[in-house]
Amino acid sequence: MIHNAHMSQSNMSYLVSRPALPVVAQWAVAFAVLITKWTLRRRTRKHLRHMTQEQLDDIGRNRAEAHHQATLPFWRP
C-alpha cells in the first residue's frame, strides 16, 4: 500500500514538473474529452429510453423524466 502511494506521488510530481502541452495538443485533448462526453451522454440516454419501470424506480426517476432526458440532444447536458 505504501509502495502504491509512493508511486502515485512520484507520478504526480513527474507530471507537475513537465512543461505544459503545446496549444494544439491542449486543443486535441479538449476535443477528445468533449467527444467522449458526448458519446457517453448519447449512450446513457439511449439506455434510459429502454429502461423498465422497475429500473427507473431503482434510480429514482419516473417515465416522464426518463423520456425528457432521453429526447435531449447529446450536446446538451
Side-chain angles (χ1 to χ4, degrees), residues 4-5 11-12 16 25 29 35-36 40 43 46-47 54 57-58 60 66 68-70 72:
N4 287 341
N11 290 341
M12 284 302 288
V16 170
V29 169
I35 296 301
T36 302
L40 180 61
R43 187 177 334 131
K46 180 181 176 183
H47 288 294
E54 287 177 342
D57 291 342
D58 284 346
H68 171 73
Q69 282 296 318
L72 290 174

Side-chain angles (χ1 to χ4, degrees), residues 3-20:
H3 179 67
N4 287 341
H6 178 68
M7 287 281 283
S8 177
Q9 187 178 18
S10 65
N11 290 341
M12 284 302 288
S13 58
Y14 171 76
L15 290 173
V16 170
S17 69
R18 303 292 304 155

